[in-house]
Every structure is written in structure tokens, then in C-alpha cells.
């Protein structure tokens, strides 16, 4: 199933799932409030709620079903409980470091590392991304994310799959000049990242991807285009660290809760920093960025000028 959050013509925001390629179901409306109107609450009892939602998909109802042409898709989790982003694709890490004259650090091969980003700055499909004021090196990052659907602590990697609800595309927007400066201090990334993260267009439940398991991930092609030009091409199966290993690390001595997001980090070739400016300049207002992952859809956003508030 593919779960979405959307805005109706009257401004009401609801959660639901795709009935087919042209319609979305408002779970709250169809069930008279039995299922919640947002996915964070839905995930807090994901196992039972998913069974109810699956039954709804088999029932022929007229009420609560909306053509996609009459609604606006939002980020499927507009306000996740947290967002951790890992650094799990070796090719990206190696190349990006080589481009800066740096060798790989041995510790990268010992533990999957992550940082926290701003879970209150989540954008969805079609949303405009404001270039941070004072930043000139704006970049996209082609990633895949998993959504936690079950509470757990000290979760072993081999058991982590039962804590995953589903997957979606993630764009970890980066202001590279801000990031470079702040990380010289020994902390970060923070301001280089916290202005925006895009996810969507929907969350695909893990069962849909099960037949595609390969390596430490799934055999899913990953692509990024800027203004229609293909720049990035990779595959999720190339993960050095699996999502199970990421979850094991994230949950070590910490409780993970339903509604948290875990990002994979950038796939190989998945950003301008890695590709180099001889391949493409930094992003500018007016640019249109599309991230596509097989079976997960296409996530598109446009860049606009930042707004100065006085």
C-alpha cells in the first residue's frame, strides 16, 4: 500500500492511501473517525491500523474517495517525531571525500554514523525550496528513507525489519558553503542542512518491496534530474550498511518511536558535491529537481529565492 497526506479543496488536511493510480482514500472520513486523520497517530498503532486500511481498499465506497487531480499531495509525514540521517553508501562517502582531498576514515567501516536534522522543516512533493540567505552552494541529495512503525530499544539488526513500516524518497537539501564552514569547528552539519528536507510523494509499505531484496537493500534504481537533465544514477542495493544495521545503531540505549524517519544518506553520484562542478553548477532559484526511485515514485521540487525577514 502507498500512504499519503493530502489537502482537500476546502483546506482540510487528511491522511490516507492510494486506491489506484488516480484516487486517494481519506481513511478518517471513510471509517467515520475509526482511523486517524494523520499518519503519525496511525503509526502509533500501525499493525492494527494497517489491517483495517487494507480491508478498506477492498470495499467499494464512494464517500471519502478523491481524484488525485482534486487534491494536493503533501509530505506523507509533515511532522515526523524525529529525523536521523545516516551516511551509508560507500561510493558517495569515498568520492565526496576524495573531491576534498580527504581519505576515508577507518571508523566509517566500524560503525554506521548519523546526524539529527530538523524534523519541523519537512517539505513535500511540489513544494518550493527557499535557498538559504547567504548560501551560494545549494545542493540536492538523493536518498531513501525508512519510517519507523513500532516502538523499540536496543533492536538487533536481524530483527529490525519488524520495526519498519515503509519507505519513501528523501531529498536532504544541503547548503554546502554553510556546511563546510560550520564543520571546521568540529560540529555539524546543522545550518547547512536544517532549512529543508523533502520526502514523498508517498510511503510504500515494506511488503511491496520484499520481492526486490538484494545485497543489503533492495534492487531499486535511483535517479536525480535537474531541469530535466539526468545527473545521478545509483541503486539502493549498493548500501554498505543495511537499514537493519542503521536501526540497531540508532536504537542503541535509545527508544525509537513510531513516526520517526531514518535516512540512508546519499547514494553514489547522488549530489553535485560528489559529481563536481564540471558536471553541474550549484542549484539556483528557478531550478527544478526531480528524484526518482523505482517503485517509490518521483519527488519534485523547485528552488526559489530565500525571503529576508526584518
Amino acid at each position: 500500500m502507498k500512504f499519503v497526506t493530502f489537502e482537500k479543496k476546502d483546506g482540510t488536511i487528511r491522511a490516507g492511501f492510494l486506491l489506484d493510480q488516480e484516487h486517494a482514500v481519506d481513511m478518517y472520513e471513510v471509517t467515520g473517525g475509526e482511523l486517524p486523520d494523520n499518519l503519525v497517530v496511525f503509526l502509533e498503532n500501525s499493525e492494527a491500523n494497517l489491517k483495517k486500511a487494507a480491508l478498506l481498499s477492498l470495499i467499494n465506497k464512494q464517500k471519502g474517495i478523491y481524484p488525485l487531480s482534486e487534491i494536493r499531495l503533501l509530505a506523507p509525514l509533515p511532522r515526523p517525531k524525529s529525523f536521523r540521517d545516516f551516511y551509508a553508501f560507500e561510493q558517495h562517502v569515498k568520492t565526496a571525500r576524495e573531491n576534498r582531498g580527504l581519505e576515508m576514515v577507518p571508523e566509517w567501516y566500524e560503525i554506521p554514523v548519523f546526524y539529527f536534522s530538523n524534523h519541523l522543516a519537512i517539505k513535500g512533493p511540489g513544494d518550493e525550496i527557499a535557498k538559504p540567505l547567504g548560501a551560494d552552494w545549494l545542493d540536492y541529495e538523493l536518498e531513501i528513507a525508512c519510517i519507523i512503525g513500532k516502538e523499540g530499544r536496543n533492536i538487533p539488526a536481524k530483527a529490525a525489519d519488524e520495526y519498519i513500516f515503509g519507505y519513501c524518497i528523501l531529498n536532504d537539501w544541503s547548503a554546502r558553503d554553510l556546511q563546510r564552514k560550520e564543520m571546521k569547528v568540529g560540529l555539524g552539519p546543522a545550518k547547512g542542512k536544517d532549512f529543508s528536507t523533502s520526502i514523498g510523494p508517498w510511503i510504500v509499505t515494506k511488503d511491496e518491496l520484499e520481492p526486490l531484496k538484494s545485497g543489503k537493500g533492495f534492487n531499486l534504481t535511483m535517479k536525480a534530474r535537474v531541469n530535466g537533465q539526468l545527473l545521478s544514477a545509483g541503486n539502493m542495493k549498493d548500501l554498505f550498511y543495511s537499514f537493519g544495521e542503521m536501526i540497531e545503531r540508532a536504537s542503541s540505549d535509545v527508544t525509537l518511536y513510531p513516526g520517526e524517519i531514518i535516512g540512508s544518506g546519499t547514494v553514489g553520484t547522488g549530489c553535485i558535491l560528489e559529481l563536481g562542478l564540471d558536471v553541474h553548477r550549484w542549484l539556483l532559484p528557478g531550478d527544478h529537481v526531480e528524484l526518482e526511485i523505482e517503485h517509490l515514485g518521483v519527488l519534485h521540487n523547485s528552488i526559489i529565492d530565500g525571503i529576508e525577514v526584518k
Side-chain angles (χ1 to χ4, degrees):
M1 297 181 73
K2 296 177 175 66
F3 284 84
V4 293
T5 296
F6 57 92
E7 182 180 14
K8 302 180 187 180
K9 286 184 176 180
D10 64 1
T12 303
I13 295 176
R14 290 286 170 79
F17 57 88
L18 299 186
L19 187 61
D20 50 40
Q21 295 182 349
E22 297 181 356
H23 297 85
V25 176
D26 177 343
M27 299 184 297
Y28 181 87
E29 184 177 355
V30 168
T31 63
E34 184 179 346
L35 285 175
D37 62 0
N38 70 87
L39 282 182
V40 169
V41 176
F42 180 93
L43 290 169
E44 289 174 353
N45 192 18
S46 64
E47 187 174 350
N49 286 338
L50 187 56
K51 290 178 181 178
K52 293 177 183 177
L55 290 175
L56 285 180
S57 68
L58 303 175
I59 299 172
N60 184 17
K61 287 180 174 286
Q62 297 299 318
K63 184 181 178 182
I65 299 176
Y66 296 87
L68 295 183
S69 59
E70 296 181 6
I71 60 175
R72 183 171 74 93
L73 289 180
L74 307 175
L77 277 179
R79 291 291 183 270
K81 291 184 178 178
S82 78
F83 169 39
R84 294 172 176 85
D85 206 8
F86 277 81
Y87 204 29
F89 284 99
E90 183 184 25
Q91 180 186 345
H92 166 69
V93 180
K94 266 188 172 180
T95 306
R97 291 183 66 83
E98 285 173 0
N99 289 350
R100 291 175 285 161
L102 301 173
E103 296 181 353
M104 288 289 284
V105 291
E107 289 82 1
W108 187 86
Y109 294 99
E110 298 172 9
I111 53 171
V113 294
F114 68 90
Y115 62 90
F116 280 97
S117 196
N118 188 354
H119 67 292
L120 301 179
I122 301 295
K123 299 291 185 179
D127 284 347
E128 294 176 326
I129 307 301
K131 185 173 79 68
L133 297 171
D136 296 315
W137 300 359
L138 182 60
D139 202 354
Y140 68 87
E141 294 200 48
L142 172 57
E143 306 189 19
I144 184 170
C146 82
I147 312 301
I148 298 299
K150 179 181 176 181
E151 182 178 327
R153 186 182 182 96
N154 293 323
I155 302 165
K158 62 183 180 181
D161 190 62
E162 66 182 272
Y163 294 84
I164 296 174
F165 176 76
Y167 297 87
C168 67
I169 303 171
L170 186 147
N171 192 336
D172 177 32
W173 301 97
S174 301
R176 299 299 189 185
D177 40 358
L178 301 184
Q179 178 185 357
R180 183 178 70 167
K181 186 174 183 179
E182 68 186 354
M183 292 189 73
K184 285 183 179 180
V185 182
L187 290 177
K191 291 310 296 179
K193 299 280 191 176
D194 76 346
F195 58 95
S196 186
T197 301
S198 299
I199 62 171
W202 37 68
I203 297 167
V204 176
T205 52
K206 62 187 177 184
D207 59 296
E208 285 202 25
L209 303 183
E210 192 66 26
L212 301 171
K213 276 195 171 179
S214 180
K216 288 196 172 184
F218 301 102
N219 183 17
L220 301 174
T221 57
M222 304 173 67
K223 299 177 181 178
R225 299 178 180 86
V226 176
N227 301 325
Q229 178 187 358
L230 179 65
L231 296 184
S232 305
N235 196 299
M236 192 243 186
K237 68 182 179 182
D238 294 331
L239 279 169
F240 185 89
Y241 290 109
S242 67
F243 271 102
E245 291 168 314
M246 293 182 236
I247 288 172
E248 180 176 85
R249 177 68 177 176
S251 69
S252 176
D253 301 305
V254 170
T255 302
L256 297 185
Y257 294 94
E260 298 195 65
I261 295 178
I262 291 179
S264 64
T266 310
V267 70
T269 79
C271 64
I272 297 170
L273 176 69
E274 183 183 343
L275 294 169
L277 296 180
D278 55 332
V279 174
H280 199 278
R281 57 165 171 75
W282 301 115
L283 300 174
L284 295 171
D287 285 341
H288 186 74
V289 180
E290 289 185 346
L291 303 189
E292 180 179 0
I293 300 181
E294 193 176 8
H295 296 285
L296 298 186
V298 179
L299 175 62
H300 59 95
N301 299 97
S302 294
I303 311 301
I304 61 171
D305 277 312
I307 300 173
E308 187 172 359
V309 179
K310 297 182 179 180

